[in-house]
Amino acid sequence: FLYKKAPLSGTYRFVMMIPTIISSVLVGLMFIRFINALPRLMTVVGFSDFPNLLKDKNTRFATTIFYEFWNGFGTVGEPEEMI
């Protein structure tokens, strides 16, 4: 139904995708806020020299890979009726 050439089908497809787009953006923003707050939290717990995982060159790539796996974990194996 979403891929038929009907009037306003592009608009309908966009409206159907808005929840997916918004939720992806919100999850990304929450992850960034958590990663930026993590050094302060670790200082309170007792780790005095905890790096910012996105600003440190040694941990930036691993943090990004972790986020991609973590974010995509729930989307593996979608039912065929969703496609």
Side-chain angles (χ1 to χ4, degrees):
F1 177 72
L2 291 177
Y3 299 105
K4 291 184 180 181
K5 296 292 180 187
L8 299 176
S9 65
T11 305
Y12 182 73
R13 195 173 333 149
F14 176 72
V15 169
M16 291 294 291
M17 292 301 293
I18 286 176
T20 305
I21 295 167
I22 291 174
S23 66
S24 296
V25 169
L26 290 178
V27 167
L29 289 174
M30 287 184 346
F31 184 78
I32 289 172
R33 288 189 64 130
F34 173 72
I35 292 297
N36 288 336
L38 196 57
R40 284 181 270 141
L41 177 67
M42 296 306 272
T43 303
V44 169
V45 172
F47 294 100
S48 60
D49 229 9
F50 195 82
N52 187 323
L53 297 176
L54 288 176
K55 292 182 181 175
D56 186 15
K57 290 181 182 179
N58 297 326
T59 60
R60 183 182 306 153
F61 182 71
T63 304
T64 305
I65 294 298
F66 170 77
Y67 171 74
E68 290 300 324
F69 278 114
W70 177 68
N71 191 29
F73 184 69
T75 59
V76 175
E78 292 181 359
E80 285 194 29
E81 62 265 8
M82 297 289 289
I83 297 175

